[in-house]
Amino acid sequence: MDYLLSPRQVELRDRVRAWAEAELAPLAPELDETDEVSPRLVEMLAGQGLFHQMMPEAYGGPDRIRCVDACLVREELTRICGQADEVFTMQALSAYPIIGHGTSEQKERYLPPVAQGLKLAAFALSEPEAGSDVAGLRTAAVPDGDGYVLNGEKQWISQAPEADIFVVFAKTDPEAGGRGLTAFIVERGTPGLISEERVSLMAAHSVGRMVFRDCRVPGENLLGRPGQGMGLALDNLDMFRPTVGAAAVGLARRAYEEALGRSKARMAFGRPLAGFQATQFKLADMATDIQAARLLVFHAAVLKDRGDDPAGQIKAASMAKLFATEACHRVVDEAVQIHGGSGLLKGVTVERLYRMARLMRIYEGTSEIQRLTIARAILKE
């Protein structure tokens, strides 16, 4: 893939890879089995300057924010440690709307502590009855003096139990559908905000439920303009959807490496598993899936960074997310199969990867939503 990357991006990828293998790998088995964000991990990521990679130059970032950079980091982190990828992504995902739509005062207040890992951030969009259907959100924001009062619930919010800063979406005009959606910055400790309720998933992940009960948010915490929330949310998804594919590639790579090592070491009927054509075909399909997924991911990321084909970007991002997450599922499933009974043991790497991979086909747009997006784009061509 080096022919697609600048020397700076090659250095970034190689640096993250070497650091993750040396520093994260010994911690990953424990980190990836806990629902709580590790403060030590946050310090390590901040110490490597990884949060700054998705910040403006004025806040310590590169000359501009690039989707390709995020893909490079996510692939290398996820290959070693899922929680490291989760924390990196949530800091970037939550800061991005402030970078693009925040006032100068909001940027100065919130971006430095997020970039330095001093405060964790969360992106509060999904609700118990509205995940894929963003226009169906029910959390309401009613004007009150110089601010707004929020009432409602959020569900499946990554880092909600630990986050200090929340980008929250609520309806300011219930009759306007998606056009009535508005974004706010809400800080932990705001009266009426409850965000400590943790939800346990099949794979360890810091995720929680948030409740707003007459939660008063000052007008200065309005993010963008009233009614601009849908566009803001879609901007975020367009930027980060290809990076989910990159994380899936990283996870698939790890599963493939585990399977390859197992197939060479495991003896059956007097020879290694790798000596059987059935195993060779599995490995060939796994390697091909990974390479095809990576190419789709970087095609989408390059289109996003060029910024000259909005419709093409959306279609490419959905293709990348769809194919890479589905391919990851296939690769991890075959890795478990190659391990046989030992692949089902709790604590074995491929067993953990199997649970982690299943989440990717749902969050940031299910596979079904990606297919709808692709089909609509095709039918407009």
Side-chain angles (χ1 to χ4, degrees), residues 134-332:
V134 176
L137 296 181
R138 296 179 181 177
T139 297
V142 178
D144 180 61
D146 61 351
Y148 291 82
V149 174
L150 275 61
N151 280 283
E153 296 181 24
K154 295 292 178 180
Q155 183 72 295
W156 320 120
I157 309 304
S158 295
Q159 288 193 170
E162 296 93 358
D164 306 288
I165 301 165
F166 304 87
V167 175
V168 179
F169 294 82
K171 285 281 186 69
T172 47
D173 185 352
E175 305 301 320
R179 297 189 303 277
L181 202 62
T182 301
F184 301 87
I185 303 172
V186 183
E187 298 183 34
R188 177 175 291 279
T190 301
L193 167 62
I194 303 170
S195 62
E196 290 84 4
E197 185 174 338
R198 195 178 298 277
V199 177
S200 294
L201 305 180
M202 63 188 293
H205 186 87
S206 175
V207 63
R209 174 174 172 263
M210 301 171 63
V211 177
F212 300 90
R213 293 176 181 162
D214 295 327
C215 178
R216 195 175 191 284
V217 179
E220 64 191 34
N221 282 32
L222 177 71
L223 186 55
R225 298 188 302 274
Q228 201 178 29
M230 178 64 83
L232 192 153
L234 293 177
D235 283 349
N236 247 39
L237 292 175
D238 289 345
M239 178 66 173
F240 288 95
R241 192 160 275 165
T243 76
V244 180
V249 170
L251 193 70
R253 277 177 59 199
R254 179 61 181 276
Y256 169 75
E257 291 163 1
E258 294 288 327
L260 183 61
R262 175 69 173 178
S263 69
K264 292 178 177 179
R266 169 67 166 162
M267 300 296 293
F269 303 102
R271 53 176 166 164
L273 289 179
F276 294 91
Q277 189 180 66
T279 305
Q280 294 169 7
F281 281 7
K282 290 180 187 296
L283 294 170
D285 287 343
M286 294 160 77
T288 302
D289 260 344
I290 291 169
Q291 183 67 353
R294 183 185 286 112
L295 289 169
L296 276 172
V297 164
F298 279 92
H299 170 71
V302 168
L303 281 184
K304 178 62 181 174
D305 289 342
R306 280 171 39 184
D308 57 359
D309 181 10
Q313 291 172 34
I314 293 170
K315 182 177 75 170
S318 286
M319 285 181 167
K321 202 272 184 182
L322 170 66
F323 186 86
T325 56
E326 294 287 343
C328 178
H329 172 75
R330 293 192 294 270
V331 170
V332 177

Side-chain angles (χ1 to χ4, degrees), residues 237 241 314-323 325 360-376:
L237 292 175
R241 192 160 275 165
I314 293 170
K315 182 177 75 170
S318 286
M319 285 181 167
K321 202 272 184 182
L322 170 66
F323 186 86
T325 56
M360 292 179 166
R361 295 159 65 199
I362 293 178
Y363 70 74
E364 285 199 43
T366 64
S367 293
E368 290 74 19
I369 288 294
Q370 305 313 319
R371 291 184 174 99
L372 281 173
T373 301
I374 295 164
R376 287 170 181 166

Side-chain angles (χ1 to χ4, degrees), residues 33 202-203 258 332 335-336 339 341-357:
E33 291 291 6
M202 63 188 293
E258 294 288 327
V332 177
V336 172
H339 276 71
S342 66
L344 305 177
L345 292 173
K346 190 77 170 177
V348 171
T349 298
V350 293
E351 180 271 338
R352 184 175 78 248
L353 297 178
Y354 190 89
R355 289 181 281 116
M356 292 168 62

